[in-house]
Amino acid sequence: MDQRTRHTLIVGSREDAGITFVKMDGSLSATTSDQGIQEMKKIVDAGAKKVVVNLAGVDYISSGGIRVLMIAHKQLSQVQGEMKIAGAKGMVKEALEASGFHLLNRVYGGNIQLCSTDEEAAAAFKN
Amino acid sequence: MTPTSLGDSESGWGFILPGMCDPLLAISSMLLGGSAAYVILSLAERMRATDQVRLKWRWLSIGAVAAGLEIWALHFIGNLAFCPQTPTEQDLLPALASVLSAGTAGAVAVYFISSYDGSRTRLVCGGLLMGTCVSMVHFTSLLAMRQLVDLHVSVLALVFSILMSVALGIAVILLGAWNITYGGWRVTEKASAMGLAISGAHFSGMIHAYSAPVITAGVSPPGIEVELLAVVVVALSSVLAIIDRQLTTASSLVRDTHARMVEAIESVPQGVSLFDADDRLVICNRKYREVVSEEGIEVQPGDSFESIIRRIALRGDIPAAIGDVDSWVNTRLAMHRNPQGPYIQYRSNGEWIQVNEKKTQDGGVIAISTDITELKQAEQAAEDATARLADSLALVEAAKARMQEELNVGRDIQRSMLPRVFPAFPDRKELELYAMLEPAMEVGGDLYDFFMVDDHRLCFAIGDVSGNGVPAALFMAMTKIMVKTRAMSDPSPASIITYVNDALSADNDSCMFVTLYLGLLNLRNGTLVTTNAGHNPPLLKRQGGTFEWLKSQDGPIVGPIPGIAYKENMIQLDPGDELFFYTDGVTEADNVRRELFGSDRLKTLLERSGEVSVVDRIGEVMKAVKAFSHGAPQADDITMLGLRYHGIAPSGVEMEVFRQTMPNQLTAIPVLQTAFEDYVAQWSGARPLIPTLNMALDDLLNNVVQYAFPNDSVPHHIVVEGDVRDGSVVLTITDDGIPFNPLTVAAPDFALLLHEREIGGLGIHLIRSMFDEVVYRRTVGHNVLTVKKKLASQEPPAPKEPDMTGIGALEGGRMPQSLLQDSRREGMSVESRQNGAVVIVTPLERFDTNSAPEVERILMDHISHGVRQLVLDLSRISYISSIGVRVIVKTLMAMSKTGGNVVLYGGNDHVRTVIHLSGALMMSLHVPTLEEAMTKVQGADF
């Protein structure tokens, strides 16, 4: 693993047909969680309602990183938004599943959801 | 040439003959006089100008030699001019003496002229000395001339001559001094004037020598040599004058340089001083003078360094010297003589002087004193600032240390919250348990816990709070306390976590969360109920098997989202089974190459560790993780918990705990009751409670079946658990029906009872009245109702309530045989017989859910057939539940509409207690015996 990526997180976003696609690269760890929270807050504050967070470029996630997603989701739900997580793989997927993310679907009726690709995630939005 | 007498002792100076004078020689002599005067003036001037003793000496000696030679030559030529006819042979000694005298005269002239300060004494002394010397010159030079004639010297003339010489000397010095000090004339002009004066003086002064000339004719003078000599001497003098002129120019150059130097050092802001090799001040600038001088005592060139510094030390300028001036002066002198580097001096007036001293080539010392007070003050300010900074730094350090201390306290508190004494339960042979937590920071976010909920149920938990540090530690502490508090009264892990999640998610804006794995292990039968809330899956190793993941997930992470219902799983542990729990600090430990330890490595490692104790297993994993990290800093807390179930120790009691499941069918109740009876009957002390327990089972299970599964065709299971211990019987009924809390049903209003409506809540009322504890809990998806009753003591139990009816104690089943006529069994659970108009109905064995419909049917049948006097015999039943009571109530209501009577009689302790608890009306209908019942039912007191 590249030494650099464990301590860096790059967040990029683009909008397409009312859906904000957020792409994260690097590592979602305790080191980068504050940055991640800020970046996600900016995106939500900018008015995004439907957010797809693509984690294909993330190779490590810790509990601090999961918190980034939790907080983003909480902020989104306050404005009746929805969040999908796409592209998680390897240990990131395992960690998210172990944390019970896929179970949250039942509680939130798909407001937060693990999907495999951006397209699947975009299609998963209710309207 | 005219012969002249050199003197006449007889005639004195009355015989003065005008001498014959060789004009050339006379002029030469006069020129020499001017030349001598010039030399004297010039040198005196130079001597005065220089400050250096050595130079003074040089000029003085040069003056002595040059002026001396010229003075002597002046006399010599002068003598020749006067007595050219005399032989020029000279005696060597007097000639030398005359030369020396001339030199001394020159030196005296130069010295006194150069150092003339207006003092009369010095002037007179100088004049005397000079006059003496000049007289000596005259006298000895004459003496040196070997004359063919006797030299007669007039004493008077001699004295006069000496006096004249003295006067001349004084005049010369005065003139010279005046010349140097005030004269605007050039040196040559001054010299001409002085030379004229000297020559003039000689002319008059020499008169005495020629006053009595004895002319000895016939002696021819040496002739040409004299003229030649005069020319040579004059030429020499001229050359001397030219050289002197050059010297003067050079020295004026030096003087200019010196002046420029003075100007330069005066313009320097620092104090500059130059000392010679003898430590005498050579030159200094005004600044230096200001510093070292004082009122009345100006520092002067020539002052010794020691005297200067002693003076300033004595007047108290040097704080360091106060009290011991000598030693300071000595130290300072040593430093001055061998300067090493800048020397900083503090003055009493608050000034700081930095002295730079340097040896000059000629062994002197040049010193530059710089006032560095401002620099020093700035330095001092900087030092103060540094000191203040150091103070602040110390404060920060102290604060840091205090914070560290507090963190340490926090860590201690946090650690002390975790059970750390192992073996945890030394007297529990059925369990082996070990746990460890290796924190990554001072206070961490991991947690583990284990404790006995009661004497046979172990609760354990492992968890990981997001992040670390103080917030994580606080969250962890909250979690741990909530779990433990809840677990003490809640037997369901899912329920505990659901509750904890709701509590933690309130006001959790920062979305802190904890992953939790919670287990409740019944040590008596190995039943393990677990809930995994977003935690890493643990591994289970069955006896003789391998470690396998327990992948179940029962809900998401705990804390951020309220309102989540967690599930739970049941695992049956067999003796020898082992569980391994951990936090992600283990699997996500990384090494310097940023590789993760990973779950595969963990599983392999556990496999390889073979059959070892739980403690050793955890130790091995810890060792492997450390070896893997290989010095990389530990990023996260590492926590592990291991557990091995050894099974219960064999004991004489076959079945310690009752646990049975029944379908949600009313008909299943008797089977369960029978099984439970068998279980309870193991304890003789518990046997008397069997009727009451049966009643409770009947009432509670009836409730569950009827109310918990409305419109639900899916079969459900109801779990009944019983436990006889600690002098109590505990009965727990768990169902997965809709939430239904029977305890919220209001107690029946006994004033209205039996007339107005069907009774509700009577069953619960009975149970509450007859048991010591009745608890309802809704856990996740389950209703849990627990009742507890203390075993009766050895003494016969006192009636629960005062017997208001006078029924008294009655042995159950006692019945006069005479009355048992026409008895017929009408069904499985009831008999009826007729005694006149009175019908006696006797429920058999039980009067509960399953028998009640039949009893009710028969009773209603009798009423519909016109029976108006009905006796209900309760003496043959072992117990009655509220369902039975309800049948009685219905009968009463039906009979009251027809105007008939119903009387109850008999029954064991339990039955009578139930009747008593069913209200005053019910009690009033109950009598102890059949006879009384017969009387009462036919009597008119209705």
Side-chain angles (χ1 to χ4, degrees):
Chain A
M1 183 182 292
D2 187 351
Q3 172 100 13
R4 178 180 54 84
T5 62
R6 185 63 63 83
H7 299 290
T8 55
L9 173 72
I10 299 159
V11 181
S13 66
R14 66 184 169 89
E15 204 183 315
D16 187 7
I19 299 172
T20 307
F21 293 89
V22 179
K23 177 145 174 44
M24 292 194 176
D25 288 287
S27 151
L28 267 170
S29 63
T31 322
T32 61
S33 66
D34 281 346
Q35 183 206 344
I37 290 168
Q38 291 308 315
E39 303 260 14
M40 287 308 294
K41 185 174 186 303
K42 264 187 249 164
I43 290 166
V44 177
D45 286 349
K49 290 278 194 294
K50 295 176 183 174
V51 176
V52 175
V53 180
N54 192 309
L55 300 180
V58 175
D59 53 14
Y60 175 86
I61 192 164
S62 73
S63 56
I66 289 172
R67 219 173 119 234
V68 173
L69 302 176
M70 296 304 308
I71 290 177
H73 172 250
K74 192 166 202 164
Q75 287 166 341
L76 268 175
S77 20
Q78 280 163 4
V79 295
Q80 285 78 48
E82 294 176 48
M83 184 167 100
K84 313 288 176 201
I85 296 162
K89 58 180 170 37
M91 77 79 65
V92 177
K93 189 163 197 265
E94 280 172 33
L96 288 178
E97 284 177 353
S99 308
F101 252 72
H102 61 297
L103 299 174
L104 291 172
N105 292 346
R106 286 190 208 160
V107 182
Y108 289 99
N111 278 359
I112 184 166
Q113 194 171 338
L114 290 181
C115 307
S116 52
T117 63
D118 279 355
E119 289 69 31
E120 188 192 315
F125 286 112
K126 275 177 236 140
N127 40 37
Chain B
M1 291 281 161
T2 320
T4 21
S5 74
L6 289 173
D8 186 350
S9 56
E10 289 165 25
S11 59
W13 60 303
F15 302 92
I16 295 171
L17 287 178
M20 302 188 52
C21 202
D22 182 332
L24 181 66
L25 288 177
I27 288 167
S28 296
S29 162
M30 283 169 77
L31 280 174
L32 276 171
S35 181
Y38 178 86
V39 165
I40 287 169
L41 275 177
S42 164
L43 289 176
E45 208 168 340
R46 279 181 201 167
M47 197 171 149
R48 170 166 279 213
T50 186
D51 296 324
Q52 291 185 47
V53 177
R54 197 183 293 177
L55 267 179
K56 282 180 189 285
W57 276 108
R58 190 191 296 167
W59 295 132
L60 191 65
S61 45
I62 290 173
V65 172
L69 272 174
E70 282 180 328
I71 289 169
W72 182 79
L74 155 79
H75 288 102
F76 181 74
I77 293 173
N79 282 346
L80 284 181
F82 276 98
C83 10
Q85 71 276 36
T86 53
T88 51
E89 284 172 56
Q90 305 258 323
D91 277 342
L92 192 63
L93 272 176
L96 269 180
S98 79
V99 168
L100 276 177
S101 299
T104 312
V108 166
V110 168
Y111 176 74
F112 280 95
I113 288 171
S114 75
S115 65
Y116 178 69
D117 56 358
S119 156
R120 284 171 199 281
T121 324
R122 279 176 74 89
L123 184 64
V124 171
C125 286
L128 276 173
L129 268 171
M130 200 170 162
T132 310
C133 292
V134 169
S135 302
M136 285 283 286
V137 175
H138 294 164
F139 182 73
T140 47
S141 61
L142 283 179
L143 206 64
M145 285 194 211
R146 273 194 209 140
Q147 310 231 343
L148 301 175
V149 292
D150 286 336
L151 188 64
H152 301 288
V153 176
S154 150
V155 175
L156 199 61
L158 186 66
V159 170
F160 173 74
S161 143
I162 289 172
L163 282 176
M164 281 298 289
S165 296
V166 169
L168 174 78
I170 290 171
V172 162
I173 290 170
L174 263 177
L175 199 62
W178 176 81
N179 252 330
I180 288 171
T181 314
Y182 308 105
W185 294 356
R186 295 164 60 90
V187 175
T188 40
E189 291 158 359
K190 297 175 191 171
S192 306
M194 251 181 90
L196 275 174
I198 291 170
S199 304
H202 271 89
F203 184 72
S204 56
M206 285 300 275
I207 290 170
H208 77 275
Y210 315 113
S211 56
V214 181
I215 309 297
T216 312
V219 180
S220 82
I224 45 167
E225 283 111 31
V226 175
E227 277 79 10
L228 188 66
L229 183 68
V231 168
V232 165
V233 167
V234 170
L236 271 177
S237 295
S238 303
V239 168
L240 202 64
I242 289 163
I243 291 169
D244 180 74
R245 185 70 230 164
Q246 297 301 317
L247 267 174
T248 306
T249 312
S251 89
S252 80
L253 257 176
V254 169
R255 224 173 17 250
D256 289 351
T257 310
H258 181 260
R260 273 201 293 277
M261 193 177 90
V262 169
E263 198 183 336
I265 65 168
E266 286 295 355
S267 68
V268 171
Q270 288 95 342
V272 178
S273 55
L274 178 69
F275 293 85
D276 62 18
D278 298 323
D279 284 346
R280 298 263 161 202
L281 181 64
V282 176
I283 191 170
C284 66
N285 65 357
R286 191 168 55 244
K287 176 76 186 167
Y288 181 79
R289 237 175 269 121
E290 280 170 10
V291 171
V292 297
S293 298
E294 62 182 288
E295 202 71 35
I297 307 172
E298 275 279 311
V299 69
Q300 293 287 348
D303 288 356
S304 76
F305 179 75
E306 186 182 346
S307 71
I308 294 171
I309 60 167
R310 188 175 290 278
R311 195 164 65 227
I312 62 170
L314 282 172
R315 74 185 185 207
D317 271 7
I318 311 290
I322 291 170
D324 192 357
V325 171
D326 283 340
S327 88
W328 180 81
V329 166
N330 289 336
T331 315
R332 181 72 188 87
L333 267 179
M335 276 162 43
H336 173 77
R337 282 171 184 150
N338 190 16
Q340 298 290 340
Y343 160 76
I344 292 169
Q345 205 171 60
Y346 180 63
R347 296 291 175 90
S348 299
N349 57 5
E351 286 178 353
W352 291 89
I353 308 292
Q354 176 179 288
V355 183
N356 283 290
E357 290 178 323
K358 193 171 179 296
K359 277 267 182 206
T360 56
Q361 280 183 346
D362 59 355
V365 171
I366 181 155
I368 296 175
S369 316
T370 314
D371 185 344
I372 55 163
T373 309
E374 277 180 29
L375 190 74
K376 267 284 171 186
Q377 280 165 350
E379 221 171 71
Q380 193 64 44
E383 264 172 37
D384 290 350
T386 309
R388 277 199 300 277
L389 197 69
D391 286 351
S392 313
L393 207 67
L395 274 177
V396 169
E397 283 295 322
K400 215 170 103 187
R402 205 161 49 239
M403 242 169 85
Q404 186 62 46
E405 184 78 9
E406 278 165 15
L407 274 180
N408 288 346
V409 172
R411 184 192 58 203
D412 290 349
I413 291 172
Q414 199 191 12
R415 286 238 178 129
S416 67
M417 288 179 70
L418 306 176
R420 278 177 303 153
V421 179
F422 297 101
F425 309 106
D427 51 349
R428 288 266 169 195
K429 302 297 172 226
E430 58 267 57
L431 179 70
E432 191 183 334
L433 188 149
Y434 182 70
M436 64 162 298
L437 192 159
E438 184 82 17
M441 294 171 74
E442 279 82 0
V443 282
D446 274 14
L447 71 105
Y448 70 80
D449 200 8
F450 51 81
F451 49 90
M452 297 300 295
V453 173
D454 49 37
D455 70 341
H456 68 285
R457 282 187 305 144
L458 169 84
C459 180
F460 62 88
I462 186 167
D464 179 6
V465 175
S466 56
N468 1 34
V470 174
L474 288 174
F475 204 79
M476 167 260 167
M478 278 163 66
T479 307
K480 184 192 170 294
I481 290 164
M482 283 183 189
V483 165
K484 183 160 188 174
T485 311
R486 182 73 184 185
M488 294 312 283
S489 62
D490 189 339
S492 156
S495 166
I496 294 166
I497 290 188
T498 299
Y499 164 80
V500 170
N501 179 55
D502 285 345
L504 285 177
S505 58
D507 305 321
N508 183 11
D509 289 335
S510 57
C511 279
M512 296 283 290
F513 64 82
V514 57
T515 69
L516 261 185
Y517 198 103
L518 185 65
L520 264 166
L521 174 63
N522 188 327
L523 295 176
R524 285 187 180 159
N525 56 16
T527 311
L528 172 66
V529 187
T530 63
T531 293
N532 183 355
H535 195 77
N536 306 60
L539 294 108
L540 169 66
K541 177 182 179 295
R542 294 287 185 184
Q543 168 76 48
T546 58
F547 275 98
E548 300 296 342
W549 299 103
L550 285 178
K551 286 284 189 185
S552 81
Q553 279 194 341
D554 306 304
I557 45 184
V558 179
I561 310 148
I564 293 169
Y566 289 84
K567 296 184 297 168
E568 63 192 14
N569 281 281
M570 206 180 82
I571 303 162
Q572 184 62 47
L573 291 188
D574 296 318
D577 290 355
E578 182 181 339
L579 283 156
F580 178 83
F581 304 90
Y582 62 95
T583 60
D584 57 9
V586 176
T587 47
E588 284 167 27
D590 53 7
N591 59 14
V592 286
R593 291 190 301 280
R594 296 280 168 201
E595 295 164 337
L596 300 180
F597 191 77
S599 43
D600 293 341
R601 210 186 303 264
L602 174 65
K603 187 168 184 289
T604 315
L605 178 72
L606 288 170
E607 286 302 327
R608 266 214 314 270
S609 57
E611 298 292 331
V612 293
S613 72
V614 169
V615 179
D616 290 346
R617 180 125 32 227
I618 286 176
E620 293 235 349
V621 175
M622 193 65 216
K623 213 166 69 188
V625 169
K626 292 246 155 146
F628 178 79
S629 301
H630 197 67
Q634 187 186 332
D636 200 357
D637 293 356
I638 295 176
T639 306
M640 288 179 267
L641 188 147
L643 188 154
R644 185 179 281 149
Y645 179 63
H646 289 307
I648 49 163
S651 78
V653 180
E654 279 302 309
M655 188 164 43
E656 281 199 19
V657 183
F658 176 84
R659 182 188 163 89
Q660 201 159 323
T661 309
M662 60 164 264
N664 57 330
Q665 302 290 327
L666 293 177
T667 48
I669 296 174
V671 182
L672 198 127
Q673 281 173 319
T674 309
F676 194 63
E677 265 180 50
D678 292 345
Y679 167 74
V680 175
Q682 295 175 110
W683 290 270
S684 58
R687 278 174 210 154
L689 297 182
I690 288 174
T692 309
L693 290 167
N694 272 332
M695 177 202 75
L697 278 172
D698 189 63
D699 269 320
L700 294 172
L701 291 172
N702 183 290
N703 257 336
V704 169
V705 173
Q706 293 201 31
Y707 298 111
F709 309 103
N711 314 316
D712 194 346
S713 54
V714 182
H716 289 270
H717 289 281
I718 302 164
V719 179
V720 177
E721 288 163 300
D723 195 359
V724 180
R725 59 182 155 88
D726 306 334
S728 297
V729 181
V730 179
L731 175 65
T732 304
I733 296 171
T734 308
D735 69 76
D736 56 350
I738 60 162
F740 174 69
N741 182 357
L743 302 188
T744 57
V745 177
D749 183 346
F750 290 106
L752 304 173
L753 184 61
L754 311 181
H755 287 291
E756 305 292 324
R757 56 180 171 91
E758 283 203 10
I759 45 169
L762 179 63
I764 288 300
H765 167 68
L766 293 176
I767 290 167
R768 277 186 152 160
S769 306
M770 297 169 76
F771 282 81
D772 298 303
E773 276 180 44
V774 183
V775 178
Y776 169 81
R777 264 193 305 265
R778 175 70 190 182
T779 66
V780 179
H782 291 92
N783 297 304
V784 181
L785 198 104
T786 305
V787 297
K788 183 174 177 182
K789 186 163 177 63
K790 290 198 181 83
L791 300 187
S793 54
Q794 294 304 315
E795 294 89 47
K800 278 207 148 199
E801 290 177 15
D803 193 340
M804 306 292 282
T805 61
I807 296 171
L810 180 77
E811 284 187 21
R814 193 187 66 165
M815 176 166 305
Q817 288 301 308
S818 60
L819 293 173
L820 294 175
Q821 48 188 307
D822 292 335
S823 180
R824 66 179 191 280
R825 180 109 181 200
E826 293 192 51
M828 284 289 290
S829 49
V830 66
E831 278 181 2
S832 293
R833 64 185 192 279
Q834 189 103 24
N835 189 341
V838 180
V839 173
I840 303 165
V841 177
T842 309
L844 301 172
E845 294 173 17
R846 299 159 170 196
F847 196 179
D848 60 8
T849 303
N850 283 287
S851 62
E854 192 179 8
V855 177
E856 186 180 346
R857 185 176 51 78
I858 286 166
L859 284 169
M860 291 306 159
D861 200 37
H862 285 307
I863 293 169
S864 64
H865 284 87
V867 174
R868 290 297 174 265
Q869 290 168 336
L870 203 54
V871 170
L872 197 54
D873 175 7
L874 301 177
S875 60
R876 302 277 294 277
I877 52 172
S878 63
Y879 79 96
I880 181 170
S881 75
S882 70
I883 290 92
V885 174
R886 198 160 59 184
V887 170
I888 300 173
V889 170
K890 280 184 176 174
T891 308
L892 283 174
M893 288 169 73
M895 198 62 104
S896 66
K897 287 175 189 159
T898 63
N901 293 336
V902 179
V903 173
L904 318 172
Y905 93 92
N908 58 19
D909 284 349
H910 164 77
V911 173
R912 279 181 286 126
T913 305
V914 171
I915 298 300
H916 286 192
L917 290 171
S918 298
L921 175 63
M922 199 69 96
M923 276 199 293
S924 71
L925 296 176
H926 188 262
V927 294
T929 63
L930 180 60
E931 288 80 357
E932 287 171 82
M934 294 301 286
T935 311
K936 191 175 172 80
V937 80
Q938 294 167 70
D941 50 339
F942 272 103

